Amino acid sequence: MYRYDEFDERFVRERVAQFRDQVARRLDGSITEDEFKPLRLKNGVYLQLHAYMLRIAIPYGTLSSKQLRQLALIGERYDRGYGHFTTRQNLQFNWPKLRDVPEILDLLADVEMHCIQTSGNCIRNVTADHFAGVAQDEIEDPRPTAELIRQWSSLHPEFDYLPRKFKIAVTGAEHDRAVIKAHDIGLRLRRHPDTHEVSYEVSVGGGLGRTPMIGKVVRDYLPKDDLLAFLEAIMRVYNLEGRRDNKYKARVKILVHEIGVEEFRRRVEEEFARLDGPSVNADPAEVARIAAYFKAPDYEALPAISRVLEATKAANPAFARWVEVNTIPHKAPGYAALTISLKPVGEAPGDATSDQMRLVADLAEQYSQAEIRVTHAQNLVLPYVRQRDLFAIWQRLGEAGLASANIGLITDIISCPGLDYCALATARSIPIAQAIQHRFADDNRQKAIGELNIKISGCINACGHHHVGHIGILGLEKRGIESYQITLGGDATENAAIGEILGPGLAAEDVPDAIERIVNVYLSERAEGESFIENVRRIGLAPFKAAFQEVAHAVA
Amino acid sequence: MAAAPKRVPLPAILLANDLLDGDVVFAVAGANGQLAWTRDPALALVASNDPAAESLEAFAAAEIAGNRVVDAYLVDVTMETGQPVPRHFRERFKTLGPSNRPDLGKQAGDGIDAGQRA
Ligand code: HEM
Ligand code: SF4
């Protein structure tokens, strides 16, 4: 894992001291809320509905056991004993007191963590494929790239006051698990077909929120060495021409949309040609230094299939099912990457108690090189598990209520906090997720339905990624009550697509019925081996719309 | 006619977040007849006419300027069994806590001591 150098350490400590002073000045009245707000936001402190909220950066979703234990401690000592993992691979605490935040930041700094770049109009915490370094379909680990961007962007004065927030995601695999097309910049490591050199495909102008857009490719094969200069060129074009007059039109996606991708590409290439590449691009020695931190662990030489695992699976169908649903094949023979579901039926998606965090930290230490990943789907991953250890892990997770076998299934719902916490929300989202989970709780039924991503946001800001859910649910207000708009056909992967609205908004209690109708259309129409989203793509929206309308009419 | 200040319909209560803690607080009539803050929504002072609402607004402005609270605003309420309940669901949640966690927030008595609970 990446370790801070002296410079990182000093930078983070200085920020904590600075913020401690800013809080003191706020409390003694020397600065007003208007002056303080941008400062607290720069340190991840928001004001939500019931309390402050602290958003902690988990760079590219990678955590050590020690860090996760520290988060558990903070949750217990300064919050209410739990935290919320978000779609941006961050962790949010929902109840910190402003007076305690400097202490919390100190505790974070002790384990090389902070809240910088979790808010404000800067380049935000860079996200990456949660199976980085272990997925079989990976060309190269995306995290050295993400770390390089983190270092470059953290200290870049030119990009500290952008027109709007800016989000970058990186994947090194064929299959996109990092939703790169819904980011301001999405990077995909790929091999050039002729030279076989690893390079970047660069997409710009993706984003969700009130004007959802899928990112467009501006460079097919960018040589790796040119990364920072090319990013700098993009940022310059955006910083100069992005709209600052209207917050809703300020994201780079609007600029790309307004001038067109060809023109945007032309301006970027022009700026790129003008830049002094060597002075901007990272020193190869530094790139190598960073990459070394992400070197694969020393794997044991193991047979591809563990006999111990096969025997325990045969003896225990529930365990076998969990292994089938929650693990993926690993680069290293005899290993597995395990996803721990934070979606037990009836709990808030992405919430974990301090005790659960400690358990996962312990398991990671014992079985997974003391490393954990946070996924954008609000789950946790143990990336380096020996297949033969899976049974012991499963048993201990089961005792803590963390052994749900539902990764990628209908109850593995992404949900933002919605109106249960968020001051911007127009409706609740967590109770909708819970109601759907209850409806589809039966394991066999979930398995029969197969892969189906439901994503829920409590307002048009789309923090819950509803636009790219196979089924998306958006909470709105209609005539003084909560109302839910349902979209179909969204996709967060390399086939990225924005879902289409099925019909009028529904009351909360009608949402599970509507979902059930949609699922039933799929079950009756699907071809052999066809997944939900493939089915929607093949047969189109009409049959689903018709089924949906029956619910909408029944309640209208 | 003087332009009436833009304001929510009455009756209304004043709520805010405590600057230090972030907790939701409500304006209440203090012992000496002056306004103060309480964490108990049941005790919130209900303004039913313009002068009462104006005094809540003046209190809000002074308390924001005095760095004791943030995000102070009036909320229109109805009276249910003698207690003010916000008309809008957003503010109802704000006076209760997360609906998925009845063990947290004001619904669980957070920050409301027994003596104050009336
Ligand atoms: C205090 C709580 C939060 C506030 C104030 C907030 C605010 C916002 C706003 C204003 C946008 C729209 C940006 C735009 O359209 O330009 C947005 C988008 C987004 N937020 Fe949040 N958010 C909050 C919590 C969260 C949480 C909990 C998550 C993760 C679960 C999250 C992840 C995202 C994502 C993924 C997007 C959409 C992607 C994009 O930027 O286009 N946010 N948020
Ligand atoms: S989508 Fe809306 S309700 Fe949900 S967290 Fe984002 S801003 Fe809040």
Side-chain angles (χ1 to χ4, degrees):
Chain A
M1 274 186 59
Y2 184 72
R3 297 295 316 263
Y4 279 8
D5 59 19
E6 230 174 289
F7 191 77
D8 295 320
E9 166 80 20
R10 193 155 28 113
F11 175 65
V12 169
R13 291 288 178 189
E14 276 170 13
R15 275 295 282 271
V16 176
Q18 227 176 42
F19 190 61
R20 187 181 295 278
D21 180 57
Q22 286 157 354
V23 170
R25 283 188 291 144
R26 175 71 185 103
L27 298 182
D28 75 15
S30 1
I31 46 179
T32 65
E33 183 62 14
D34 286 346
E35 290 161 337
F36 181 62
K37 191 174 169 188
L39 300 174
R40 70 165 158 78
L41 286 175
K42 283 225 166 259
N43 292 283
V45 183
Y46 285 75
L47 183 65
Q48 297 202 104
L49 206 56
H50 313 294
Y52 289 106
M53 178 270 275
L54 183 66
R55 186 181 289 163
I56 299 167
I58 302 175
Y60 32 90
T62 297
L63 270 175
S64 68
S65 289
K66 188 173 160 198
Q67 290 173 325
L68 186 54
R69 269 192 209 108
Q70 191 81 331
L71 296 174
L73 175 80
I74 292 168
E76 211 160 61
R77 190 180 290 172
Y78 296 106
D79 210 82
R80 302 293 167 89
Y82 72 104
H84 177 75
F85 289 99
T86 78
T87 43
R88 302 220 65 258
Q89 301 180 315
N90 292 322
L91 180 74
Q92 296 188 174
F93 283 120
N94 290 307
W95 308 89
K97 302 201 178 304
L98 182 58
R99 63 173 116 215
D100 294 333
V101 172
E103 294 292 316
I104 299 175
L105 296 184
D106 257 332
L107 286 174
L108 290 173
D110 289 346
V111 292
E112 307 187 346
M113 295 186 83
H114 57 69
C115 301
I116 299 164
Q117 289 178 302
T118 62
S119 174
N121 295 336
C122 61
I123 298 180
R124 299 285 188 92
N125 184 32
V126 180
T127 53
D129 183 355
H130 46 266
F131 291 134
V134 300
Q136 281 185 342
D137 66 341
E138 184 177 274
I139 291 147
E140 197 175 292
D141 191 329
R143 292 174 302 163
T145 299
E147 174 58 29
L148 184 64
I149 298 172
R150 186 188 73 80
Q151 297 193 7
W152 162 80
S153 64
S154 304
L155 303 162
H156 210 306
E158 191 178 330
F159 307 135
D160 214 24
Y161 286 94
L162 295 168
R164 196 80 177 90
K165 58 170 81 167
F166 203 92
K167 300 176 180 175
I168 304 179
V170 198
T171 179
E174 304 260 323
H175 178 49
D176 178 10
R177 288 171 287 260
V179 206
I180 63 166
K181 295 287 187 174
H183 283 74
D184 297 276
I185 293 180
L187 296 174
R188 178 161 78 95
L189 285 148
R190 67 194 302 204
R191 262 181 218 291
H192 193 284
D194 305 329
T195 64
H196 301 288
E197 214 179 310
V198 176
S199 45
Y200 296 105
E201 177 193 75
V202 184
S203 303
V204 181
L208 302 174
R210 77 179 55 216
T211 322
M213 302 260 186
I214 299 299
K216 293 158 192 81
V217 176
V218 297
R219 209 21 136 85
D220 287 309
Y221 299 97
L222 177 74
K224 276 186 76 183
D225 293 347
D226 283 334
L227 178 69
L228 295 186
F230 197 77
L231 292 183
E232 190 135 334
I234 295 173
M235 298 312 296
R236 283 219 170 141
V237 170
Y238 171 54
N239 209 9
L240 214 64
E241 308 193 33
R243 291 183 55 169
R244 288 172 191 267
D245 59 322
N246 181 341
K247 173 173 150 174
Y248 299 120
K249 298 194 170 174
R251 297 284 291 269
V252 71
K253 63 188 174 188
I254 303 292
L255 178 65
V256 174
H257 182 71
E258 282 183 352
I259 67 177
V261 66
E262 288 76 23
E263 175 61 12
F264 184 83
R265 187 184 294 128
R266 194 191 62 72
R267 290 188 201 182
V268 169
E269 292 291 354
E270 192 178 86
E271 183 64 38
F272 179 61
R274 214 172 12 228
L275 275 171
D276 176 20
S279 77
V280 179
N281 284 320
D283 173 3
E286 176 61 9
V287 173
R289 185 188 76 88
I290 292 175
Y293 285 107
F294 299 95
K295 207 168 78 51
D298 292 327
Y299 291 113
E300 267 175 55
L302 295 171
I305 308 272
S306 154
R307 271 210 309 228
V308 179
L309 173 66
E310 293 308 307
T312 35
K313 270 179 17 185
N316 194 325
F319 169 64
R321 200 180 120 59
W322 177 79
V323 172
E324 186 192 332
V325 176
N326 290 34
T327 66
I328 62 150
H330 202 283
K331 268 185 184 170
Y335 282 78
L338 165 67
T339 306
I340 299 171
S341 169
L342 295 182
K343 319 290 176 65
V345 168
E347 299 295 329
D351 277 11
T353 65
S354 289
D355 287 341
Q356 290 174 330
M357 291 184 217
R358 280 204 190 94
L359 171 67
V360 174
D362 290 349
L363 291 173
E365 200 157 70
Q366 197 173 345
Y367 299 111
S368 180
Q369 312 277 341
E371 192 176 310
I372 302 108
R373 310 284 176 76
V374 181
T375 81
H376 81 266
Q378 305 177 289
N379 293 309
L380 299 176
V381 166
L382 299 185
Y384 313 108
V385 177
R386 285 179 303 219
Q387 292 176 5
R388 65 160 184 261
D389 293 331
L390 282 166
F391 189 68
I393 296 174
W394 178 72
Q395 286 180 308
R396 283 176 59 195
L397 287 173
E399 289 159 19
L402 288 179
S404 301
N406 62 353
I407 297 306
L409 303 183
I410 191 167
T411 59
D412 184 9
I413 297 171
I414 290 183
S415 167
C416 79
L419 193 52
D420 286 305
Y421 294 95
C422 179
L424 302 178
T426 39
R428 286 174 296 168
S429 31
I430 294 168
I432 300 296
Q434 291 170 320
I436 297 169
Q437 287 178 329
H438 280 296
R439 179 68 64 96
F440 292 96
D442 181 72
D443 271 350
N444 292 325
R445 188 170 178 210
Q446 286 196 56
K447 198 177 163 193
I449 297 166
E451 186 176 4
L452 205 175
N453 303 157
I454 298 183
K455 304 183 199 264
I456 312 177
S457 305
C459 81
I460 193 63
N461 287 328
C463 303
H465 287 187
H466 67 276
H467 298 295
V468 290
H470 297 160
I471 300 177
I473 303 177
L474 165 61
L476 295 167
E477 170 180 349
K478 207 161 92 186
R479 286 181 245 112
I481 59 163
E482 292 163 293
S483 170
Y484 296 88
Q485 198 175 70
I486 299 190
T487 51
L488 189 67
D491 191 327
T493 69
E494 60 279 14
N495 307 313
I498 307 285
E500 283 183 50
I501 296 171
L502 281 183
L506 299 176
E509 58 271 24
D510 299 319
V511 173
D513 280 342
I515 304 298
E516 198 155 18
R517 298 271 183 138
I518 293 168
V519 168
N520 286 343
V521 172
Y522 159 64
L523 292 177
S524 66
E525 298 291 327
R526 70 173 161 190
E528 179 74 25
E530 189 177 50
S531 72
F532 179 83
I533 187 66
E534 288 163 354
N535 180 247
V536 172
R537 269 194 224 114
R538 181 172 62 82
I539 70 176
L541 246 52
F544 296 96
K545 254 189 184 150
F548 175 86
Q549 291 293 353
E550 285 170 29
V551 180
H553 286 314
V555 299
Chain B
M1 226 175 73
K6 241 186 121 187
R7 179 190 288 152
V8 298
L10 302 180
I13 59 173
L14 173 66
L15 55 70
N17 292 84
D18 183 81
L19 171 65
L20 259 177
D21 292 343
D23 288 7
V24 182
V25 292
F26 306 87
V28 61
N32 48 8
Q34 290 187 326
L35 289 168
W37 296 106
T38 174
R39 281 167 166 69
D40 187 348
L43 301 180
L45 178 75
V46 179
S48 314
N49 54 34
D50 284 341
E54 273 155 30
S55 107
L56 286 181
E57 281 163 351
F59 181 60
E63 291 292 291
I64 288 173
N67 299 317
R68 280 175 290 273
V69 297
V70 287
D71 204 22
Y73 57 96
L74 290 186
V75 167
D76 51 328
V77 295
T78 53
M79 299 305 287
E80 286 174 19
T81 57
Q83 288 182 7
V85 175
R87 282 173 199 269
H88 196 278
F89 59 86
R90 180 184 190 272
E91 270 63 40
R92 276 206 296 279
F93 289 123
K94 195 158 174 169
T95 57
L96 288 170
S99 70
N100 64 312
R101 290 293 302 264
D103 58 321
L104 297 175
K106 303 203 174 288
Q107 58 201 349
D110 268 6
I112 304 171
D113 24 284
Q116 247 196 336
R117 264 217 116 172

